Amino acid sequence: MNLILLGAPGAGKGTRAALIAAEYQIPHISTGDIFRQNIKEGTSVGLKAKAYMDQGKLVPDEVVIELVQSRLIKEDCKNGYLLDGFPRTLPQAEALDKITHIDVVIDVVADADLLAKRISGRRVCANAACGASYHVETYGGSVCGKCGGSVVQRDDDREEVFLARLAVYDAQTAPLVNYYAAKGILKAVDGLKNPPEAVRVLRAFEESKM
Ligand code: AMP
């Protein structure tokens, strides 16, 4: 299955993505993670992306579309994939439609006040291969319980940057909800409910297609 996870920053896409990718044995492709990895490695894509990311702005469509296009042709995508954080604009969604067929889009819905609280307290493992996520209210330590890496705050989770990301989401990404609803492939899940709900929704979707 070719899947997309939609949702505002902090809505809980990452947690659900990990569960879905494990359940369906498909790669979890997060454009944000790919950019962060490129920044760490100092690549030209990373250099281009960093200036936008640090301000909570979107990286230009052509940069991200090219990145996704080259990722989707890799061998591990041949039985499906889960896109997380892409598409984020209408031109990206239209470009994706030309590249591939999307079976279902999961929209993780969450209220803006909750998102602000989640994100300001969010801490992540700096080891990109691990990617564990914590909240200061439940874990205040600096060592990752999964891999022993350092637990840090993402630069773009700082409040001023987060608010900019939320505004960008409302203006540019939220319209994609209607875009996919009109195609009849949108399934909403509650960002407050337990993450496995997303897997159940997908299984029910598959059964409805049988
Ligand atoms: P994320 O981890 O998905 O929240 O992404 C972090 C940042 O990476 C975003 O705030 C953007 O600056 C950039 N980014 C990730 N995916 C995209 C995309 N599809 N289009 C444009 N910028 C993106």
Side-chain angles (χ1 to χ4, degrees), residues 43-152:
T43 68
S44 64
V45 166
L47 280 176
K48 267 188 220 160
K50 189 171 180 357
Y52 296 95
M53 289 172 76
D54 284 351
Q55 297 175 63
K57 291 184 180 163
L58 292 184
V59 177
D61 285 338
E62 61 276 15
V63 176
V64 65
I65 289 167
E66 200 182 309
L67 190 91
V68 169
Q69 196 158 15
S70 56
R71 180 65 186 84
L72 294 185
I73 56 174
K74 291 205 172 147
E75 182 66 16
D76 64 342
C77 291
K78 75 176 197 303
N79 293 324
Y81 43 80
L82 172 62
L83 286 168
D84 165 10
F86 182 92
R88 259 180 158 97
T89 65
L90 216 46
Q92 290 180 16
E94 288 164 354
L96 186 65
D97 280 342
K98 291 195 185 120
I99 301 170
T100 186
H101 166 81
I102 296 297
D103 296 294
V104 57
V105 178
I106 299 266
D107 182 26
V108 186
V109 183
D111 155 283
D113 288 344
L114 170 93
L115 297 179
K117 199 166 161 215
R118 265 195 190 166
I119 292 290
S120 59
R122 175 160 76 177
R123 300 294 181 268
V124 294
C125 176
N127 171 10
C130 170
S133 184
Y134 300 93
H135 195 281
V136 283
E137 278 176 10
T138 48
Y139 179 68
S142 59
V143 178
C144 176
K146 278 192 186 160
C147 77
S150 338
V151 173
V152 297

